[in-house]
């Protein structure tokens, strides 16, 4: 059985070894958007042995949503390594029911960073190489099919109740977007 999982991370840098402060994911039905299982954890970076932070990312956070950054930095439980271990365990448990397709909003960021950091702590990335999925690619294809810009397509799925850059809310938005695009591409959506 196929299991689609949308993931999003919040970090303190853009390098593969940058400190991850939040991992959120939802296993979902790609046809309906129904949620199957949820994961949402925040790390307490004060417990990390080291933190890899880039100045540009820190400035970006302070200019984008310093209140959310403050909230994330004060609500963590466990180190970033423990966060990764917990996420890995959640994925492995899900994989007992089927083959996981892991979606990221840029597989070379979210998925690749998760893979790199799991491997750096001695854990195997539990996603088969052919099952990494990219939100940006499906949005590109669906917008081309519909003859609209990617921004116009993304705007259709905006939910003002969601907090931008809170990984759990970003996951919910990305699921709505991917399900909508998927249904457009396979002609299930009869708008």
């Amino acid at each position: 059985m196929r299991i689609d999982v949308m993931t999003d991370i919040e970090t303190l840098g853009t390098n593969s070894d940058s400190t991850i402060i939040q991992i959120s994911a939802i296993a979902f039905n790609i046809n309906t958007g129904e949620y199957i299982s949820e994961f949402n954890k925040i790390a307490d970076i004060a417990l990390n042995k080291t933190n890899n932070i880039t100045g540009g990312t820190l400035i970006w956070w302070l200019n984008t949503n310093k209140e959310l950054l403050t909230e994330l930095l004060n609500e963590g439980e466990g180190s970033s390594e423990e966060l990764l271990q917990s996420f890995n365990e959640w994925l492995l448990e899900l994989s007992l029911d089927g083959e996981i397709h892991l979606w990221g909003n840029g597989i070379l960021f979210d998925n690749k960073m998760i893979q790199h950091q799991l491997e750096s702590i001695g854990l195997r990335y539990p996603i088969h190489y052919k099952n990494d999925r990219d939100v940006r690619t499906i949005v590109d294809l669906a917008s081309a099919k519909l003859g609209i810009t990617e921004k116009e397509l993304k705007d259709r799925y905006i939910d003002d109740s969601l907090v931008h850059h809170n990984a759990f809310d970003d996951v919910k938005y990305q699921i709505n977007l991917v399900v909508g695009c998927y249904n457009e591409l396979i002609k299930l959506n009869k708008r």
Side-chain angles (χ1 to χ4, degrees):
M1 177 175 114
R2 174 184 172 138
I3 301 170
D4 286 277
V5 174
M6 182 65 68
T7 190
D8 192 68
I9 60 176
E10 298 304 335
T11 69
L12 295 177
T14 56
N15 300 325
S16 292
D17 64 348
S18 294
T19 299
I20 296 175
I21 55 175
Q22 183 183 21
I23 299 177
S24 298
I26 297 176
F28 68 102
N29 180 311
I30 196 160
N31 293 300
T32 66
E34 176 188 0
Y35 297 173
I36 299 164
S37 181
E38 299 177 359
F39 180 93
N40 182 38
K41 294 198 177 192
I42 301 167
D44 178 353
I45 65 169
L47 299 174
N48 293 351
K49 294 174 185 163
T50 61
N51 285 296
N52 296 319
I53 301 168
T54 57
T57 302
L58 190 54
I59 290 168
W60 176 86
W61 268 111
L62 294 174
N63 290 330
T64 303
N65 192 335
K66 62 183 164 194
E67 293 80 17
L68 176 59
L69 176 61
T70 300
E71 183 180 317
L72 291 173
L73 293 176
N74 287 304
E75 290 188 7
E77 295 179 22
S79 68
S80 293
E81 184 174 315
E82 290 169 320
L83 172 68
L84 285 158
Q85 291 168 339
S86 182
F87 183 60
N88 188 62
E89 290 167 11
W90 182 77
L91 287 173
L92 290 172
E93 187 175 315
L94 277 177
S95 71
L96 297 175
D97 293 328
E99 189 173 49
I100 296 176
H101 290 75
L102 188 67
W103 290 84
N105 195 15
I107 59 171
L108 292 179
F109 188 80
D110 298 83
N111 298 35
K112 197 59 155 173
M113 191 177 291
I114 290 168
Q115 178 182 10
H116 173 81
Q117 292 200 25
L118 285 174
E119 291 172 352
S120 75
I121 60 171
L123 298 173
R124 186 183 67 79
Y125 184 59
I127 308 301
H128 191 277
Y129 73 90
K130 66 182 174 74
N131 291 344
D132 279 306
R133 296 290 185 262
D134 188 1
V135 173
R136 293 177 182 151
T137 301
I138 198 167
V139 168
D140 179 49
L141 294 171
S143 65
K145 179 182 181 194
L146 295 170
I148 61 176
T149 67
E150 289 183 25
K151 182 182 180 336
E152 290 169 322
L153 178 61
K154 289 178 179 180
D155 286 349
R156 290 181 178 187
Y157 298 96
I158 289 176
D159 179 344
D160 291 329
S161 71
L162 301 177
V163 176
H164 198 51
H165 300 301
N166 176 309
F168 199 57
D169 283 354
D170 286 349
V171 164
K172 292 174 185 178
Y173 168 74
Q174 290 165 195
I175 287 172
N176 291 338
L177 182 60
V178 164
V179 169
C181 290
Y182 183 81
N183 286 322
E184 287 289 352
L185 291 169
I186 63 169
K187 298 187 185 260
L188 288 177
N189 194 343
K190 310 267 187 204
R191 284 190 228 212

